Amino acid sequence: MRRQLGTGDAVVVGVSSMLGAGVFAALAPAAAAAGAGLLVGLAVAAVVAACNATSSAQLAVQHPSSGGTYLFGRRQLGPWWGYVAGWGFVVGKTASCAAMALTAAAYAVPGPWQRPAAAVLVVALAALGYRGVTRTARAARVLLVVVLLALALVVVSAAAGSGGAPVSGSPFDGLLAPGDGGWRGVLQAAGILFFAFAGYARVTTLAEEVRAPERTIPRAVLLALATVLVVYGVVAVAALGALGPAALASAAAPLEQVVATGPWPGAGALVRVGAVAACCGALLALLAGISRTALAMAREGDLPRWLAAVHPRHGVPHHAEVAVAAVVAVAVLLGDLREVIGFSSFGVLVYYLVANLSALTQTREHRLAPRAVAVVGAAGCVVLALALPLASVVAGAGVLAAGVVLRRVAGPGRRSARGRRG
C-alpha cells in the first residue's frame, strides 16, 4: 500500500464520511425523540465522538496499518476482540452502503429505476476507488463542496426568515427541560445524531495510505470531527428556528422543508442535489473503509485470504474492493435495506467500544490523552447502545453472535488444522 494522502486529503475523507444522508434526515427523528433537546443530544454525541476519535487517533499512530479498530483490538486486546469489531463493521457498514446507494437513487431518479440506478452508482464509485486512494480523495473533495453549498443554502434561507406559518412560541422551548421523552429521549437523539456523523475515524482504516501517520492521523481525525460538529450545530439551530420542534419532527425531508418555507422555495431542488452528493461522498468513503478492514481481516485469516491482494499499480486492495462492491450491488437489487439496518447502529457502538478499551491498554508513550478520555468514550458507547430501540439491540447482538459462530466453525485455527490434516 502506498502512503499518498496528506492531512488535507485525510480531512476531506473524514468529513465526507460524516456529512452523508444523515445530515439531511437525522434531525427529524432526533426532534421526535427530544424536541428542542436534540441540541443537548448533539452535545452528548459530540462528547462521546470526541473521546472515540481521540482513542482511534492515538491507536492509529501506534499501529499505522489498514484495518482500523479490527487491527487495534487484535493487537491490544486479542484476536477475538478485533474480530468482533471488524465483523460488526464489515457487515453493518456493507448494509449501510446499500442503504446509502438506495437513498441517493431515491433522490435522483423515478421509482422503477431506483434499484438499477443504485447498483450502477455502487459500481461507478467502486471503479473510481479501484484506480487509487488519491482519486477517491479528489472525488470526495468535489462532492463535499456541493454538500456544503447545499447546507449553506439551508442556513441562509432559515436566517432570511420563514415565509410559511409562524412557529408558535420559541422554537427552543424545552431545550434544557426534556419533554415527553425525558432524558431517555435526549439520549436517543444523541444516538441518532452520533450515527449521523459516525465515520470521523474512517481515516484510521486508511492509515497504511497516509503520509507521516504519527502527525497526519490525529490532526485529520480531530479536524474532521470539529468541522462536522460545527456544521451540524449550525444546521440544527437553523432548522429548529425555521420549523420548530413539532414540524421538524414530522418532516419527511426536513432541510428541504426549511428552504421551502423560506424566501426562495424553488431552491429546494438544490437541497436534493446536495443530498445526492452527500450520499455519494459517504458511500465512496464507506467502500474504501470496508475494503481496508476486509484487507486487514484477510491478512489474519479471519476472511478469505484472497481479499488481502493489493493491486501492483494502483496500490489498493482491489480484490476486497470488487468483492464489497459486488455484495452491495446485489443487495440493492434484491432488497430495500433502508429500514432493516438497525444492527448497523449497534455494531458501530461496539466497534468504538473496542477502540476505547484498546486505548486503555496503551502505555504512556503511546497516549495522546489521559486514560479518562477512553473511559468516558467506552461508557458513552454503552449508554447510547442501551438507549437504542430494543429491535436494534437484538438485531445487532444477533449479527455479532452469527459472526462469532462463523469464526468458531471456520476461523483461521480451524482452517489451519484442516490444512495440516490434508
Side-chain angles (χ1 to χ4, degrees), residues 153-237:
L153 172 64
V154 171
V155 173
V156 172
S157 179
S162 173
V167 177
S168 59
S170 169
F172 303 105
D173 285 344
L175 175 60
L176 299 177
D180 296 339
W183 286 105
R184 180 176 176 83
V186 172
L187 290 176
Q188 282 193 345
I192 293 166
L193 294 168
F194 176 83
F195 302 125
F197 58 70
Y200 45 81
R202 189 74 68 243
V203 68
T204 65
T205 64
L206 307 175
E208 201 169 324
E209 297 159 272
V210 172
R211 295 194 300 267
E214 68 283 351
R215 296 193 308 273
T216 299
I217 291 174
R219 291 176 184 173
V221 170
L222 296 178
L223 281 172
L225 178 60
T227 299
V228 171
L229 288 176
V230 170
V231 172
Y232 261 70
V234 171
V235 171
V237 169

Side-chain angles (χ1 to χ4, degrees), residues 148-365:
L148 291 175
L149 288 175
L151 295 178
L153 172 64
V154 171
V155 173
V156 172
S157 179
S162 173
V167 177
S168 59
S170 169
F172 303 105
D173 285 344
L175 175 60
L176 299 177
D180 296 339
W183 286 105
R184 180 176 176 83
V186 172
L187 290 176
Q188 282 193 345
I192 293 166
L193 294 168
F194 176 83
F195 302 125
F197 58 70
Y200 45 81
R202 189 74 68 243
V203 68
T204 65
T205 64
L206 307 175
E208 201 169 324
E209 297 159 272
V210 172
R211 295 194 300 267
E214 68 283 351
R215 296 193 308 273
T216 299
I217 291 174
R219 291 176 184 173
V221 170
L222 296 178
L223 281 172
L225 178 60
T227 299
V228 171
L229 288 176
V230 170
V231 172
Y232 261 70
V234 171
V235 171
V237 169
L240 272 173
L243 301 179
L248 180 60
S250 62
L255 300 192
E256 190 175 353
Q257 187 166 326
V258 170
V259 174
T261 57
W264 313 293
L270 298 179
V271 178
R272 295 177 68 84
V273 172
V276 172
C279 290
C280 291
L283 180 56
L284 185 64
L286 272 174
L287 290 170
I290 296 168
S291 63
R292 271 62 175 183
T293 301
L295 164 74
M297 296 181 74
R299 284 172 170 171
E300 301 293 345
D302 283 328
L303 288 178
R305 294 190 184 277
W306 176 82
L307 298 173
V310 176
H311 196 283
R313 178 182 175 188
H314 301 307
V316 299
H318 56 306
H319 288 177
E321 294 221 357
V322 170
V324 171
V327 171
V328 175
V330 170
V332 300
L333 290 173
L334 295 182
D336 190 342
L337 300 183
R338 282 172 289 189
E339 302 299 330
V340 293
I341 59 168
F343 68 85
S344 179
S345 298
F346 185 84
V348 169
L349 284 170
V350 171
Y351 181 83
Y352 286 116
L353 173 61
V354 173
N356 283 299
L357 294 177
S358 299
L360 283 172
T361 67
Q362 289 182 285
T363 56
R364 182 183 298 274
E365 64 269 23

